[in-house]
Amino acid sequence: MSELALRAQKLDGADQLAPLRSRFVLDDVVYLDGNSLGALPAHVPDRLADVVRRQWGELRIRSWEESGWWTAPERIGDRIAPLVGAAPGQIVVGDSTSVNVFKALVAAVRIAGAGRDEILVDATTFPTDGYIAESAARMTGCSLRAVVPGEVGAALSGRTAAVLLNHVDYRTGRLHDLPALTAAVREAGAVAVWDLCHSAGALPVGLDEHGVGLAVGCTYKYLNGGPGSPAYLYVRRDLQDRFDSPLPGWNSHVEPFGMRGAYEPAPGAVRGRVGTPDILSMLALEAALEVWDGVPIEAVREKSLALTDFFLECVGEYVPSGRVEPVTPLAHAERGSQVALRCADAGDVMKRLIERGVVGDHRAPDILRFGFTPLYVGFADVERAGRVLGEVLGA
């Protein structure tokens, strides 16, 4: 057994989060793609069966009240809140990330008010965020300017209405400076909108602490909500009465069953709702979030950094020189919970890794991505992944 394998055993033996692995449905595959789709929490199938067979099958329409269906978006939002550093009453769950980005960005421009006619968008963003930003700019009569996060401070002006940023770069795993960037945006009189898809459930976010105005995120990555599970929208409490959604719906009406012709928004984060919630996937998410009971996000972050450090060490030891180049920052303050490696034949290499039981993914043209979910990934997994990568690239 190699020295790295022995160290992995010792690290796993000392890992206080290791018992959480038993809360998931896993096999002997090394699963390093939780930054795309989280593993299935073991208790979710039975919980979802109850939702289908009893709540829907027996109670039927009564479940909107008796099973708490109607209040699920806010109730589940409050379960997510501690994971992103938010007090209760500021997060509502529903719709997709894309829809919530659109709601948040248009609302941010409206909050910023007259005289501000420019939107800044992260130039390295996930493509959909860019598409949505372009559409929101057209709708609000704003110009759109793409800037890399490090240049946001210099790009801000009295014209800036909103700034759409990613907390963690989906391609490289770079963690952007949410506190400093949010402070700069607020100082300029604009509204920051953060996409938390690759940070929520992987590291502390501190939405309330850092004065973030609006934020969105998905729940199927580190939150393990399942494929297509509903996203969420955060609206800071002092902005809620000014949140003017471009998608007003009967679910966000102050009197949803009044069926009035004129729209009047409900108070609070509820005004981020639109239509009927997708109950089956929403309640699967609610069950999945129970794996977080008693788990401090600070401990998750500590293990995440240890896992990614160890993986980089294994890559340096096992992979032939010159075959890969890390593009994820080495500095902890600049790293999310994934490691991206530049590799000339990334697509083919990832196929061969998957054939050998190491599952990550790749992003064209040349990026291998490995996501580290501390709730169920261990150090022996990391050592095996690095060793198999070295064997594949050395073949």
Side-chain angles (χ1 to χ4, degrees):
M1 183 176 291
S2 71
E3 186 272 336
L4 286 173
L6 288 171
R7 278 181 52 205
Q9 282 188 349
K10 292 179 180 179
L11 289 167
D12 281 332
D15 177 18
Q16 295 184 348
L17 298 183
L20 298 177
R21 185 183 179 99
S22 65
R23 299 183 185 182
F24 294 87
V25 177
L26 296 164
D27 48 27
D28 62 352
V29 166
V30 176
Y31 189 64
L32 300 181
D33 210 8
N35 55 330
S36 285
L37 177 65
L40 171 66
H43 65 283
V44 169
D46 288 344
R47 190 69 57 80
L48 194 54
D50 177 71
V51 172
V52 172
R53 292 172 181 161
R54 182 182 64 84
Q55 296 182 27
W56 180 14
E58 298 175 15
L59 296 179
R60 293 177 288 275
I61 197 71
R62 292 161 51 194
S63 274
W64 285 105
E65 181 176 350
E66 295 180 28
S67 300
W69 287 2
W70 184 260
T71 57
E74 300 84 67
R75 182 177 71 246
I76 302 171
D78 284 347
R79 288 208 71 138
I80 293 172
L83 300 177
V84 292
Q90 299 176 101
I91 295 179
V92 64
V93 173
D95 304 311
S96 67
T97 306
S98 301
V99 172
N100 283 322
V101 168
F102 180 72
K103 287 187 284 189
L105 197 52
V106 173
V109 172
R110 293 173 175 176
I111 289 170
R116 292 183 175 268
D117 60 358
E118 183 180 64
I119 296 172
L120 302 182
V121 62
D122 184 346
T124 62
T125 191
F126 187 74
T128 294
D129 284 17
Y131 308 153
I132 296 292
E134 184 178 2
S135 178
R138 290 199 309 271
M139 179 177 178
T140 58
C142 288
S143 61
L144 181 68
R145 184 153 52 117
V147 296
V148 297
E151 298 175 1
V152 165
L156 291 166
S157 72
R159 293 183 53 203
T160 309
V163 183
L164 175 60
L165 294 161
N166 288 265
H167 197 190
V168 173
D169 187 303
Y170 79 99
R171 185 183 288 107
T172 67
R174 176 179 290 276
L175 173 65
H176 297 303
D177 192 342
L178 180 146
L181 287 167
T182 301
V185 172
R186 293 191 69 180
E187 178 73 19
V191 180
V193 180
W194 284 94
D195 183 331
L196 308 178
C197 285
H198 287 268
S199 58
L203 52 92
V205 177
L207 292 178
D208 286 354
E209 176 186 358
H210 302 303
V212 171
L214 303 169
V216 302
C218 66
T219 61
Y220 49 80
K221 300 183 191 297
Y222 297 107
L223 298 183
N224 311 296
S229 56
Y232 58 90
L233 168 68
Y234 164 88
V235 184
R236 198 177 70 218
R237 195 176 309 279
D238 65 305
L239 295 181
Q240 290 175 0
D241 62 352
R242 299 166 59 196
F243 184 85
D244 182 6
S245 175
L247 296 173
W250 76 288
N251 262 234
S252 62
H253 197 284
V254 69
E255 191 182 351
F257 292 97
M259 303 303 168
R260 292 194 262 140
Y263 178 73
E264 182 182 350
V270 174
R271 62 179 61 194
R273 292 176 63 159
V274 184
T276 305
D278 42 352
I279 290 298
L280 298 184
S281 59
M282 189 167 291
L283 296 188
L285 166 63
E286 183 173 34
L289 289 170
E290 291 177 12
V291 301
W292 288 94
D293 289 348
V295 180
I297 193 65
E298 294 78 12
V300 171
R301 175 59 168 167
E302 182 180 359
K303 182 178 176 182
S304 164
L305 291 171
L307 289 170
T308 50
D309 279 344
F310 189 56
F311 181 68
L312 288 166
E313 184 178 353
C314 290
V315 168
E317 179 68 24
Y318 291 133
V319 175
S321 178
R323 286 294 277 122
V324 298
E325 174 194 356
V327 295
T328 303
L330 298 180
H332 286 181
E334 299 175 5
R335 188 193 311 165
S337 198
Q338 74 179 52
V339 172
L341 304 174
R342 181 165 285 117
C343 180
D345 44 355
D348 181 61
V349 169
M350 186 52 68
K351 288 180 183 177
R352 285 185 281 159
L353 285 173
I354 292 172
E355 289 171 357
R356 296 192 54 178
V358 175
V359 178
D361 64 17
H362 81 283
R363 288 293 178 264
D366 60 357
I367 296 294
L368 297 170
R369 289 199 324 169
F370 301 93
F372 297 83
T373 307
L375 298 188
Y376 54 78
V377 172
F379 292 90
D381 296 322
V382 171
E383 188 275 335
R384 178 181 164 192
R387 175 165 37 84
V388 172
L389 177 62
E391 292 167 359
V392 165
L393 291 177

